[in-house]
Amino acid sequence: MSAPKQLGRTYNQNHMPRPYTAGKRRFTIYWTWSYPWEANRDLTELDNRFSTMTEVRRVAWPSFESSEWDKMNFLQGIAGTLELFHRSTLAFQQLVGETVGHPVAVYQRIDQAGYKLPIDERVLADTDTLMVFGLDHLVSEQEAEKGEIDAIRDWLKREGTCLLLAPHHDVGFTADMKQRQMEYKHHGDELVPRQQRFGQYTRSLMKALEVPVLNQFGLRPAVVEGTKEIASLTINRELDKLGLLNGVTTFNFHLHLPHYALTTADTKSIHLLASQPVDLSRPHPFTAAGNPEFNTCLWMPPGGKRGGHILLVDSTNFTTLFGGTESLARFWSNMAKM
């Protein structure tokens, strides 16, 4: 049986608004980066940049050695790596789109063509679940503007909305070179430099919306002994009132996941739904401080003037770039049916 023919891909077009349909959530992905800034980084800089596609090919050899990934067919610089991220969300977009009957809209703060799109009514008017993927490097100085904060705050007054915040890791934030090396050896990813700090945009948004969380470190998950399978999540199912983790046992294995550290002792305003066991065989300051697991999924229920929900889950859990599992697909389905 021949594979179904892929539909033609469109580019450089304005978004077509999605009509409201009762019980059918409209999902929107918002990449917080400036694509040109990230793609134009000086390759002689060791830290705080994405890998080039050439570097990815070298480390992941021979996974990207077919003609699909050569210089005739695919970008070989940092831009190629950014496009890998875009391609890696296609499975999520397909599953959610088929479930809710609406395509998943995808925006970038500043796109390939240099067009800037802050989060405003153009993004929010036909969105029920907004997924803010915080993969902007801190040194790019992306900040949520007052107009964006006001627009999101007003949007969250609408009952049933869901803001998913996904600041990525903060590796090597210290000036201590020995600690940077320890962190690098802990996660073991040759493509991540000794310092790679993400999420200024999401951090500024969290501060403005009084989300008591800070993304820290880049931690390697534990695996089931004798296998390469990621260890099961520790899930507080009694707190999962939305059923987001029904039938879910694991998220995605990724070598350097952020710890979503709570900056408040108020357990009523924010709930830890799941934590991930960390690889204790590889030394790290986080585990040296006595922490066997890191926070990976948190939920802020509606409260005060906010009728919407706020979730914190890392963006790599919505991609297939680092693998994928049936459990992860179940999580996507639960979000779509929320």
Side-chain angles (χ1 to χ4, degrees):
M1 182 181 294
S2 61
K5 191 172 183 179
Q6 184 178 1
L7 296 174
R9 294 177 60 84
T10 60
Y11 180 68
N12 209 27
Q13 297 187 25
N14 293 330
H15 171 67
M16 295 297 293
R18 298 161 293 183
Y20 170 77
T21 307
K24 300 291 185 180
R25 303 189 70 82
R26 295 163 294 180
F27 279 71
T28 296
I29 293 172
Y30 186 85
W31 298 91
T32 60
W33 58 38
S34 164
Y35 191 107
W37 189 94
E38 300 290 354
N40 287 328
R41 289 284 280 142
D42 182 355
L43 299 186
T44 66
E45 293 286 341
L46 295 181
D47 295 330
N48 295 304
R49 69 168 176 85
F50 287 104
S51 307
T52 65
M53 189 61 194
T54 302
E55 291 166 333
V56 170
R57 288 174 54 206
R58 180 181 296 118
V59 170
W61 189 91
S63 297
F64 294 96
E65 292 309 297
S66 64
S67 60
E68 178 185 4
W69 307 105
D70 66 22
K71 62 183 179 181
M72 178 64 72
N73 294 292
F74 200 76
L75 297 163
Q76 298 299 298
I78 291 175
T81 301
L82 299 184
E83 290 304 326
L84 284 182
F85 281 101
H86 280 307
R87 290 173 69 136
S88 71
T89 64
L90 292 177
F92 170 78
Q93 292 172 237
Q94 181 178 357
L95 185 149
V96 169
E98 291 174 352
T99 302
V100 302
H102 293 294
V104 176
V106 180
Y107 298 108
Q108 300 175 90
R109 185 161 182 75
I110 304 178
D111 69 12
Q112 292 92 324
Y115 290 105
K116 182 176 181 179
L117 181 65
I119 296 178
D120 57 22
E121 69 280 356
R122 291 171 292 177
V123 175
L124 298 172
D126 70 338
T127 296
D128 303 303
T129 295
L130 175 64
M131 311 175 75
V132 182
F133 287 177
L135 277 164
D136 57 296
H137 282 90
L138 261 63
V139 288
S140 72
E141 299 181 342
Q142 300 297 316
E143 293 266 353
E145 300 167 358
K146 182 180 183 301
E148 294 179 280
I149 294 164
D150 291 343
I152 293 171
R153 189 179 285 126
D154 188 60
W155 173 76
L156 280 169
K157 292 178 182 177
R158 175 156 55 97
E159 185 177 352
T161 52
C162 179
L163 173 64
L164 184 139
L165 297 169
H168 198 35
H169 64 236
D170 188 2
V171 169
F173 61 86
T174 178
D176 185 340
M177 296 300 182
K178 290 183 178 179
Q179 179 173 323
R180 288 192 192 180
Q181 181 69 351
M182 179 185 288
E183 292 184 43
Y184 177 78
K185 292 292 186 179
H186 169 80
H187 64 68
D189 188 343
E190 297 176 30
L191 290 170
V192 172
R194 266 61 173 187
Q195 185 180 78
Q196 189 173 46
R197 308 192 65 187
F198 282 118
Q200 181 61 28
Y201 182 88
T202 39
R203 284 183 170 182
S204 66
L205 193 55
M206 289 189 293
K207 181 179 179 180
L209 297 177
E210 298 181 329
V211 177
V213 171
L214 179 66
N215 58 309
Q216 296 179 332
F217 300 117
L219 298 162
R220 185 183 181 111
V223 296
V224 177
E225 187 174 356
T227 76
K228 295 182 179 181
E229 302 296 323
I230 187 171
S232 295
L233 294 163
T234 299
I235 300 175
N236 299 315
R237 297 196 182 277
E238 70 280 2
L239 298 177
D240 184 20
K241 306 300 183 183
L242 299 177
L244 292 171
L245 300 176
N246 286 347
V248 176
T249 56
T250 62
F251 283 161
N252 224 351
F253 183 84
H254 184 57
L255 293 177
H256 25 78
L257 289 167
H259 168 54
Y260 288 150
L262 287 168
T263 59
T264 181
D266 179 9
T267 57
K268 292 184 179 179
S269 64
I270 186 165
H271 304 306
L272 175 60
L273 299 186
S275 57
Q276 178 68 56
V278 65
D279 188 339
L280 298 176
S281 69
R282 297 165 176 255
H284 192 282
F286 181 77
T287 56
N291 299 297
E293 300 186 355
F294 58 92
N295 300 341
T296 191
C297 181
L298 298 102
W299 167 51
M300 293 183 69
K305 295 182 180 180
R306 179 168 50 80
H309 306 268
I310 297 178
L311 293 174
L312 289 107
V313 184
D314 187 56
S315 59
T316 55
N317 292 312
F318 301 95
T319 74
T320 55
L321 189 57
F322 311 101
T325 64
E326 291 183 11
S327 177
L328 192 62
R330 181 63 183 269
F331 176 58
W332 298 350
S333 180
N334 290 343
M335 284 199 62
K337 297 173 181 177
M338 194 179 93

